[in-house]
Amino acid sequence: MKFTIIATSDIHGHTERFSQLAQMISARQPALLIDNGDFLHGSHLSYYYDYIVQKQHPQIELANTLGYDVAVFGNHEFNYSPEKIQAIRNASNFPWIAANIPGFAEPYFIKEINGLRIAVIGVVTHFTKNWDECGSTKYLDFENAFESAKNTVKYVRDVEQVQLVILSYHGGFERDLHSGHLIDQEQGENEGYRMLHEIGGIDLFITGHQHLEIATVHNGVAVVQPGANAHCFAQIDVTVEHGTFSFEPSIVHVDPTSKMQSFPEFDAWKKQQIGTANQALTYEDFFTPRTKMTAYTQLLHDMQLHYTGAQISVIELPYHTQGGFPEKVTREHVLHNLPRSNRLLVIKMNGAEIRRAIEQSAAVFALNDKGEIDFSMTVHYPEPQPYIYDLWGGIDYVIDLRQQTGQRVTKLTFEGKPIQDNEIFEVAVNSYRATGAHQMQMFKKPPVREAAKFIPDLMMEYIEQNRPLTVQVKNDFQMK
Protein backbone atom coordinates (compact mmCIF):
# COMPACT_ATOMS: atom_id res chain seq x y z
CA MET A 1 0.00 0.00 0.00
CA LYS A 2 1.21 3.47 -0.87
CA PHE A 3 -0.03 6.94 0.02
CA THR A 4 1.28 10.50 0.24
CA ILE A 5 1.50 12.96 3.11
CA ILE A 6 2.10 16.66 2.39
CA ALA A 7 3.19 19.25 4.93
CA THR A 8 3.48 23.02 4.70
CA SER A 9 4.99 25.36 7.26
CA ASP A 10 5.66 29.07 7.78
CA ILE A 11 3.49 30.21 4.86
CA HIS A 12 3.17 33.60 6.63
CA GLY A 13 0.19 34.72 4.57
CA HIS A 14 1.95 34.73 1.20
CA THR A 15 -1.31 33.72 -0.45
CA GLU A 16 -0.28 34.67 -3.98
CA ARG A 17 2.46 31.99 -4.03
CA PHE A 18 0.43 29.69 -1.82
CA SER A 19 -2.26 29.67 -4.52
CA GLN A 20 0.38 28.21 -6.85
CA LEU A 21 1.39 25.60 -4.29
CA ALA A 22 -2.29 24.76 -3.78
CA GLN A 23 -2.64 23.74 -7.43
CA MET A 24 0.38 21.46 -7.10
CA ILE A 25 -0.84 19.96 -3.83
CA SER A 26 -4.34 19.36 -5.20
CA ALA A 27 -2.93 17.51 -8.21
CA ARG A 28 -1.06 15.14 -5.91
CA GLN A 29 -4.19 14.27 -3.89
CA PRO A 30 -2.43 13.63 -0.57
CA ALA A 31 -4.02 11.24 1.87
CA LEU A 32 -3.04 13.60 4.70
CA LEU A 33 -2.43 17.36 4.48
CA ILE A 34 -0.85 19.15 7.45
CA ASP A 35 0.17 22.73 8.15
CA ASN A 36 2.90 23.19 10.75
CA GLY A 37 2.12 26.74 11.88
CA ASP A 38 2.76 30.42 11.14
CA PHE A 39 0.11 30.08 8.46
CA LEU A 40 -1.27 33.62 8.13
CA HIS A 41 0.75 36.33 9.83
CA GLY A 42 3.72 38.05 8.19
CA SER A 43 3.03 39.25 4.63
CA HIS A 44 1.95 42.54 3.09
CA LEU A 45 -1.32 40.86 2.10
CA SER A 46 -1.89 39.75 5.69
CA TYR A 47 -1.31 43.28 6.92
CA TYR A 48 -3.92 44.55 4.47
CA TYR A 49 -6.60 42.04 5.45
CA ASP A 50 -5.84 42.02 9.16
CA TYR A 51 -5.43 45.73 9.83
CA ILE A 52 -6.61 47.80 6.86
CA VAL A 53 -9.87 46.26 5.61
CA GLN A 54 -10.20 43.96 8.64
CA LYS A 55 -11.74 41.07 6.76
CA GLN A 56 -11.16 37.34 6.94
CA HIS A 57 -7.86 36.41 5.35
CA PRO A 58 -8.56 34.79 1.94
CA GLN A 59 -5.93 32.14 2.61
CA ILE A 60 -8.30 30.42 5.04
CA GLU A 61 -10.87 29.91 2.30
CA LEU A 62 -8.16 28.55 0.00
CA ALA A 63 -6.98 26.17 2.73
CA ASN A 64 -10.55 24.96 3.25
CA THR A 65 -10.97 24.35 -0.47
CA LEU A 66 -7.67 22.49 -0.57
CA GLY A 67 -8.86 20.24 2.25
CA TYR A 68 -6.30 20.54 5.01
CA ASP A 69 -6.77 17.85 7.63
CA VAL A 70 -5.11 19.65 10.54
CA ALA A 71 -2.99 22.67 11.44
CA VAL A 72 -0.55 23.21 14.28
CA PHE A 73 -0.37 26.52 16.12
CA GLY A 74 2.85 28.42 15.39
CA ASN A 75 4.26 31.25 17.47
CA HIS A 76 3.04 33.89 15.00
CA GLU A 77 -0.57 32.79 15.37
CA PHE A 78 -0.29 34.50 18.76
CA ASN A 79 0.52 37.85 17.15
CA TYR A 80 -3.26 38.05 16.88
CA SER A 81 -5.67 38.91 19.67
CA PRO A 82 -7.51 36.03 21.38
CA GLU A 83 -10.68 37.08 19.55
CA LYS A 84 -8.90 37.01 16.19
CA ILE A 85 -7.40 33.60 16.94
CA GLN A 86 -10.85 32.25 17.72
CA ALA A 87 -12.23 33.76 14.51
CA ILE A 88 -9.50 31.97 12.54
CA ARG A 89 -10.37 28.69 14.23
CA ASN A 90 -14.08 29.17 13.54
CA ALA A 91 -13.43 29.91 9.87
CA SER A 92 -11.20 26.85 9.39
CA ASN A 93 -12.77 23.56 8.30
CA PHE A 94 -9.95 21.73 10.05
CA PRO A 95 -8.78 21.60 13.69
CA TRP A 96 -5.83 23.54 15.12
CA ILE A 97 -3.80 21.50 17.62
CA ALA A 98 -1.07 22.04 20.22
CA ALA A 99 -0.31 19.42 22.85
CA ASN A 100 1.69 21.81 25.01
CA ILE A 101 -1.12 24.39 25.43
CA PRO A 102 -3.51 22.42 27.65
CA GLY A 103 -7.09 23.62 27.77
CA PHE A 104 -6.62 25.72 24.65
CA ALA A 105 -6.26 23.16 21.86
CA GLU A 106 -6.53 19.42 21.34
CA PRO A 107 -3.15 17.69 21.62
CA TYR A 108 -3.44 15.49 18.55
CA PHE A 109 -5.53 14.53 15.55
CA ILE A 110 -6.24 11.01 14.30
CA LYS A 111 -7.11 9.98 10.77
CA GLU A 112 -7.67 6.51 9.37
CA ILE A 113 -6.21 5.82 5.96
CA ASN A 114 -6.91 2.46 4.31
CA GLY A 115 -7.41 0.88 7.72
CA LEU A 116 -4.31 2.51 9.25
CA ARG A 117 -4.79 4.76 12.28
CA ILE A 118 -2.45 7.72 12.00
CA ALA A 119 -1.87 10.24 14.80
CA VAL A 120 -0.67 13.79 14.19
CA ILE A 121 0.68 15.39 17.39
CA GLY A 122 1.17 19.16 17.42
CA VAL A 123 3.58 21.13 19.60
CA VAL A 124 4.78 24.73 19.36
CA THR A 125 7.96 26.24 20.75
CA HIS A 126 7.27 27.26 24.32
CA PHE A 127 9.30 30.44 23.74
CA THR A 128 6.12 31.79 22.14
CA LYS A 129 5.11 33.31 25.43
CA ASN A 130 8.36 35.34 25.52
CA TRP A 131 7.43 37.05 22.24
CA ASP A 132 3.84 37.95 23.08
CA GLU A 133 3.25 41.63 22.24
CA CYS A 134 -0.52 41.85 22.66
CA GLY A 135 -1.36 39.63 25.63
CA SER A 136 -2.68 36.71 23.59
CA THR A 137 -0.86 34.18 25.78
CA LYS A 138 -1.48 35.88 29.12
CA TYR A 139 -3.91 33.25 30.34
CA LEU A 140 -2.36 30.30 28.50
CA ASP A 141 0.09 27.80 29.91
CA PHE A 142 2.80 26.83 27.43
CA GLU A 143 4.33 23.60 28.66
CA ASN A 144 7.83 22.56 27.64
CA ALA A 145 7.59 21.42 24.01
CA PHE A 146 9.96 18.46 24.46
CA GLU A 147 8.19 17.08 27.52
CA SER A 148 4.73 17.51 25.98
CA ALA A 149 5.85 15.81 22.77
CA LYS A 150 7.41 12.93 24.69
CA ASN A 151 4.34 12.39 26.89
CA THR A 152 1.86 12.68 24.02
CA VAL A 153 3.77 10.30 21.74
CA LYS A 154 3.74 7.71 24.54
CA TYR A 155 0.03 8.29 25.17
CA VAL A 156 -1.10 7.83 21.57
CA ARG A 157 1.10 4.75 21.24
CA ASP A 158 -0.27 3.18 24.44
CA VAL A 159 -3.90 4.28 24.31
CA GLU A 160 -5.00 5.21 20.81
CA GLN A 161 -3.76 2.05 19.09
CA VAL A 162 -2.23 3.93 16.16
CA GLN A 163 0.09 2.41 13.60
CA LEU A 164 1.81 5.63 12.50
CA VAL A 165 2.85 8.61 14.65
CA ILE A 166 3.60 12.02 13.16
CA LEU A 167 5.10 14.69 15.40
CA SER A 168 4.48 18.14 13.92
CA TYR A 169 6.63 20.62 15.82
CA HIS A 170 6.58 24.34 15.18
CA GLY A 171 10.19 24.63 16.17
CA GLY A 172 13.51 23.74 14.65
CA PHE A 173 16.86 22.13 15.42
CA GLU A 174 19.34 23.22 18.05
CA ARG A 175 22.03 21.00 16.49
CA ASP A 176 23.07 20.23 12.93
CA LEU A 177 21.25 17.05 11.94
CA HIS A 178 24.30 15.37 10.46
CA SER A 179 27.26 16.55 12.54
CA GLY A 180 25.52 17.15 15.86
CA HIS A 181 27.25 20.56 16.02
CA LEU A 182 25.43 23.01 18.28
CA ILE A 183 23.76 25.77 16.23
CA ASP A 184 21.45 27.25 18.87
CA GLN A 185 21.03 27.29 22.62
CA GLU A 186 20.19 23.93 24.11
CA GLN A 187 16.73 23.56 25.63
CA GLY A 188 15.78 26.88 24.02
CA GLU A 189 13.26 27.82 21.36
CA ASN A 190 14.41 24.94 19.13
CA GLU A 191 14.53 21.39 20.53
CA GLY A 192 14.11 19.30 17.39
CA TYR A 193 17.42 17.45 17.62
CA ARG A 194 16.70 16.34 21.15
CA MET A 195 13.17 15.26 20.22
CA LEU A 196 14.49 13.23 17.31
CA HIS A 197 17.12 11.46 19.41
CA GLU A 198 15.37 11.07 22.76
CA ILE A 199 11.70 10.44 21.95
CA GLY A 200 10.95 6.94 20.78
CA GLY A 201 7.92 6.04 18.70
CA ILE A 202 8.02 8.83 16.09
CA ASP A 203 7.69 7.77 12.44
CA LEU A 204 7.54 11.16 10.73
CA PHE A 205 8.93 14.37 12.22
CA ILE A 206 7.70 17.65 10.71
CA THR A 207 9.59 20.78 11.83
CA GLY A 208 9.50 24.49 10.99
CA HIS A 209 10.16 27.94 12.49
CA GLN A 210 13.73 28.12 11.15
CA HIS A 211 12.57 28.43 7.51
CA LEU A 212 14.95 25.68 6.35
CA GLU A 213 14.40 23.12 3.59
CA ILE A 214 15.04 19.63 4.94
CA ALA A 215 13.96 16.23 3.64
CA THR A 216 15.82 13.21 4.95
CA VAL A 217 15.57 9.99 6.92
CA HIS A 218 17.46 10.10 10.19
CA ASN A 219 17.73 7.17 12.61
CA GLY A 220 14.82 5.52 10.78
CA VAL A 221 12.59 8.60 11.14
CA ALA A 222 11.49 10.64 8.14
CA VAL A 223 12.37 14.29 8.86
CA VAL A 224 11.16 17.33 6.93
CA GLN A 225 11.17 21.10 7.24
CA PRO A 226 9.17 22.64 4.36
CA GLY A 227 10.89 26.00 3.91
CA ALA A 228 8.94 29.23 4.27
CA ASN A 229 6.83 31.91 2.60
CA ALA A 230 5.12 29.43 0.24
CA HIS A 231 8.26 28.70 -1.77
CA CYS A 232 7.85 24.94 -1.30
CA PHE A 233 6.21 22.09 0.60
CA ALA A 234 7.33 18.72 1.92
CA GLN A 235 6.05 15.54 0.32
CA ILE A 236 6.44 12.22 2.09
CA ASP A 237 5.61 9.13 0.05
CA VAL A 238 4.76 6.25 2.37
CA THR A 239 4.96 2.56 1.48
CA VAL A 240 3.52 -0.12 3.76
CA GLU A 241 4.56 -3.73 3.20
CA HIS A 242 3.76 -6.50 5.67
CA GLY A 243 3.25 -3.95 8.46
CA THR A 244 6.57 -2.21 7.81
CA PHE A 245 6.72 1.44 6.81
CA SER A 246 9.23 3.06 4.48
CA PHE A 247 9.37 6.78 3.68
CA GLU A 248 10.60 8.88 0.77
CA PRO A 249 10.63 12.54 1.87
CA SER A 250 11.26 15.34 -0.61
CA ILE A 251 10.96 19.10 -0.98
CA VAL A 252 8.78 20.29 -3.86
CA HIS A 253 9.30 23.89 -5.00
CA VAL A 254 6.64 26.18 -6.37
CA ASP A 255 6.05 26.18 -10.12
CA PRO A 256 6.51 29.87 -11.02
CA THR A 257 4.66 29.38 -14.33
CA SER A 258 1.40 28.33 -12.68
CA LYS A 259 -1.42 30.83 -12.35
CA MET A 260 -1.25 33.03 -9.28
CA GLN A 261 -4.32 34.23 -7.42
CA SER A 262 -4.66 37.99 -7.75
CA PHE A 263 -5.97 40.58 -5.31
CA PRO A 264 -6.74 43.73 -7.34
CA GLU A 265 -7.93 45.88 -4.41
CA PHE A 266 -4.83 45.03 -2.39
CA ASP A 267 -2.56 45.66 -5.39
CA ALA A 268 -4.11 49.08 -5.94
CA TRP A 269 -3.76 49.92 -2.26
CA LYS A 270 -0.08 48.98 -1.95
CA LYS A 271 0.90 50.70 -5.23
CA GLN A 272 -0.72 53.98 -4.22
CA GLN A 273 1.79 56.82 -3.99
CA ILE A 274 1.69 58.45 -0.58
CA GLY A 275 4.61 60.86 -0.77
CA THR A 276 7.83 61.99 -2.40
CA ALA A 277 11.44 62.37 -1.30
CA ASN A 278 13.75 65.25 -2.15
CA GLN A 279 16.91 63.23 -1.50
CA ALA A 280 18.35 59.74 -1.59
CA LEU A 281 16.68 57.71 1.16
CA THR A 282 17.70 54.30 -0.15
CA TYR A 283 20.53 51.86 0.48
CA GLU A 284 22.09 49.26 -1.82
CA ASP A 285 23.98 46.96 0.53
CA PHE A 286 23.42 45.29 3.89
CA PHE A 287 26.17 46.97 5.91
CA THR A 288 25.91 50.69 5.08
CA PRO A 289 22.81 51.63 7.14
CA ARG A 290 24.04 49.42 9.97
CA THR A 291 27.49 50.93 10.28
CA LYS A 292 26.91 54.67 9.97
CA MET A 293 24.11 57.20 10.30
CA THR A 294 22.21 57.72 7.03
CA ALA A 295 19.33 59.95 5.99
CA TYR A 296 17.21 56.79 5.69
CA THR A 297 17.73 55.68 9.30
CA GLN A 298 17.39 59.29 10.48
CA LEU A 299 13.94 59.37 8.87
CA LEU A 300 12.84 56.32 10.88
CA HIS A 301 14.12 57.91 14.08
CA ASP A 302 12.40 61.21 13.25
CA MET A 303 9.08 59.42 12.80
CA GLN A 304 9.37 57.56 16.10
CA LEU A 305 10.38 60.62 18.06
CA HIS A 306 7.60 62.66 16.45
CA TYR A 307 4.84 60.27 17.50
CA THR A 308 6.17 59.49 20.98
CA GLY A 309 7.82 62.66 22.25
CA ALA A 310 10.65 60.45 23.53
CA GLN A 311 14.23 61.63 23.85
CA ILE A 312 15.87 58.64 22.19
CA SER A 313 14.77 56.26 19.43
CA VAL A 314 15.66 52.61 18.79
CA ILE A 315 15.05 50.87 15.45
CA GLU A 316 15.81 47.43 14.05
CA LEU A 317 16.17 47.09 10.30
CA PRO A 318 14.68 44.20 8.33
CA TYR A 319 17.18 41.69 7.00
CA HIS A 320 17.36 43.23 3.52
CA THR A 321 20.33 44.03 1.29
CA GLN A 322 18.36 46.83 -0.38
CA GLY A 323 15.72 49.16 0.92
CA GLY A 324 14.74 52.66 1.80
CA PHE A 325 12.43 55.11 0.07
CA PRO A 326 12.77 56.23 -3.58
CA GLU A 327 11.65 59.57 -5.01
CA LYS A 328 8.05 58.32 -5.32
CA VAL A 329 7.01 56.54 -2.14
CA THR A 330 4.22 53.96 -2.09
CA ARG A 331 2.63 51.94 0.71
CA GLU A 332 4.55 48.93 -0.56
CA HIS A 333 7.83 50.71 0.16
CA VAL A 334 6.72 51.29 3.74
CA LEU A 335 5.78 47.63 4.27
CA HIS A 336 9.10 46.52 2.76
CA ASN A 337 11.04 48.66 5.22
CA LEU A 338 8.72 48.14 8.21
CA PRO A 339 7.19 44.70 7.66
CA ARG A 340 6.12 43.95 11.23
CA SER A 341 2.84 45.00 12.77
CA ASN A 342 4.58 46.16 15.96
CA ARG A 343 3.34 48.92 18.21
CA LEU A 344 5.50 51.89 19.17
CA LEU A 345 6.12 52.19 22.92
CA VAL A 346 8.00 54.55 25.21
CA ILE A 347 9.98 52.99 28.07
CA LYS A 348 12.39 54.43 30.59
CA MET A 349 16.02 53.28 30.50
CA ASN A 350 19.07 54.46 32.38
CA GLY A 351 22.44 55.19 30.84
CA ALA A 352 23.93 51.88 31.92
CA GLU A 353 21.12 49.92 30.25
CA ILE A 354 21.49 51.93 27.05
CA ARG A 355 25.22 51.26 26.94
CA ARG A 356 24.66 47.55 27.60
CA ALA A 357 22.09 47.34 24.80
CA ILE A 358 24.42 49.02 22.31
CA GLU A 359 27.29 46.76 23.36
CA GLN A 360 25.11 43.71 22.77
CA SER A 361 24.24 44.95 19.29
CA ALA A 362 27.91 45.74 18.62
CA ALA A 363 28.75 42.10 19.36
CA VAL A 364 27.00 41.07 16.12
CA PHE A 365 29.89 42.49 14.06
CA ALA A 366 33.68 42.14 14.01
CA LEU A 367 36.61 42.93 11.75
CA ASN A 368 37.59 40.08 9.45
CA ASP A 369 41.11 39.15 8.32
CA LYS A 370 41.02 41.92 5.71
CA GLY A 371 40.07 44.53 8.29
CA GLU A 372 36.53 44.77 6.88
CA ILE A 373 33.36 44.87 8.97
CA ASP A 374 31.82 41.41 8.95
CA PHE A 375 29.68 39.17 11.12
CA SER A 376 31.23 37.95 14.34
CA MET A 377 31.65 34.19 14.65
CA THR A 378 32.60 34.15 18.31
CA VAL A 379 30.36 36.30 20.49
CA HIS A 380 26.91 34.98 19.60
CA TYR A 381 28.02 31.35 19.83
CA PRO A 382 27.23 29.01 18.20
CA GLU A 383 26.16 31.14 15.23
CA PRO A 384 26.06 34.85 14.36
CA GLN A 385 22.68 36.50 14.85
CA PRO A 386 22.77 39.58 12.62
CA TYR A 387 19.05 40.19 13.06
CA ILE A 388 19.54 41.02 16.76
CA TYR A 389 20.88 44.46 16.06
CA ASP A 390 19.53 47.94 16.83
CA LEU A 391 20.30 51.47 15.69
CA TRP A 392 19.91 54.43 18.03
CA GLY A 393 18.80 57.98 17.30
CA GLY A 394 18.80 61.06 19.49
CA ILE A 395 22.30 60.22 20.75
CA ASP A 396 25.83 60.29 19.34
CA TYR A 397 27.88 57.12 19.67
CA VAL A 398 30.90 55.32 18.27
CA ILE A 399 31.46 51.55 18.11
CA ASP A 400 35.11 50.46 17.82
CA LEU A 401 35.27 46.84 16.67
CA ARG A 402 38.97 46.70 17.49
CA GLN A 403 38.03 46.61 21.17
CA GLN A 404 36.91 43.47 22.93
CA THR A 405 33.23 42.63 23.22
CA GLY A 406 31.51 44.62 25.93
CA GLN A 407 33.96 47.52 25.65
CA ARG A 408 33.30 48.68 22.11
CA VAL A 409 31.22 51.80 22.80
CA THR A 410 33.92 54.48 22.94
CA LYS A 411 31.58 57.47 22.72
CA LEU A 412 28.04 57.84 24.08
CA THR A 413 26.57 61.33 24.43
CA PHE A 414 23.15 63.01 24.60
CA GLU A 415 22.95 66.65 23.51
CA GLY A 416 26.73 66.84 23.57
CA LYS A 417 27.19 65.53 27.12
CA PRO A 418 28.42 62.04 28.11
CA ILE A 419 25.58 59.81 29.22
CA GLN A 420 25.89 58.84 32.88
CA ASP A 421 24.97 55.38 34.11
CA ASN A 422 22.22 56.63 36.43
CA GLU A 423 20.64 59.11 34.00
CA ILE A 424 17.05 58.24 33.03
CA PHE A 425 15.81 58.67 29.45
CA GLU A 426 12.54 58.11 27.64
CA VAL A 427 13.21 55.69 24.77
CA ALA A 428 10.94 54.92 21.81
CA VAL A 429 11.09 51.22 20.97
CA ASN A 430 8.92 48.70 19.14
CA SER A 431 6.74 46.30 21.10
CA TYR A 432 8.70 43.22 20.01
CA ARG A 433 11.98 44.55 21.37
CA ALA A 434 10.14 45.53 24.56
CA THR A 435 9.40 41.85 25.22
CA GLY A 436 13.10 41.44 26.05
CA ALA A 437 13.44 38.54 23.60
CA HIS A 438 16.85 37.35 22.36
CA GLN A 439 18.67 38.22 25.56
CA MET A 440 17.66 41.89 25.34
CA GLN A 441 16.24 41.95 28.85
CA MET A 442 17.21 45.59 29.40
CA PHE A 443 14.22 46.54 27.20
CA LYS A 444 11.66 44.50 29.14
CA LYS A 445 9.88 47.29 30.96
CA PRO A 446 6.29 48.50 31.31
CA PRO A 447 5.54 51.22 28.76
CA VAL A 448 5.16 54.81 29.88
CA ARG A 449 2.89 55.38 26.87
CA GLU A 450 2.31 54.03 23.40
CA ALA A 451 1.30 55.30 19.98
CA ALA A 452 -2.25 54.67 18.83
CA LYS A 453 -1.37 52.93 15.55
CA PHE A 454 0.97 50.21 14.32
CA ILE A 455 4.41 51.37 13.23
CA PRO A 456 3.81 50.88 9.45
CA ASP A 457 0.64 52.98 9.71
CA LEU A 458 2.55 55.70 11.56
CA MET A 459 5.22 55.72 8.87
CA MET A 460 2.63 56.03 6.10
CA GLU A 461 0.94 58.90 7.91
CA TYR A 462 4.28 60.63 8.56
CA ILE A 463 5.28 60.39 4.88
CA GLU A 464 1.92 61.76 3.75
CA GLN A 465 2.05 64.68 6.17
CA ASN A 466 5.69 65.58 5.46
CA ARG A 467 5.79 65.43 1.67
CA PRO A 468 8.22 66.05 0.13
CA LEU A 469 10.54 64.28 2.56
CA THR A 470 13.63 66.29 3.45
CA VAL A 471 15.78 64.73 6.13
CA GLN A 472 18.58 66.38 8.07
CA VAL A 473 20.97 64.00 9.81
CA LYS A 474 20.96 65.16 13.41
CA ASN A 475 23.11 62.62 15.22
CA ASP A 476 26.45 61.00 14.60
CA PHE A 477 26.88 57.24 14.65
CA GLN A 478 30.06 55.56 13.49
CA MET A 479 31.37 52.01 13.45
CA LYS A 480 35.06 51.46 12.86
Side-chain angles (χ1 to χ4, degrees), residues 339-352:
R340 292 179 178 172
S341 53
N342 297 135
R343 292 167 294 129
L344 186 56
L345 311 179
V346 177
I347 61 174
K348 288 188 175 181
M349 299 180 70
N350 64 35

Side-chain angles (χ1 to χ4, degrees), residues 296-304 315 317 325 338 459:
Y296 163 66
T297 49
Q298 183 68 62
L299 173 64
L300 301 183
H301 290 306
D302 287 349
M303 180 275 290
Q304 294 201 160
I315 59 173
L317 301 183
F325 300 101
L338 298 165
M459 191 76 248

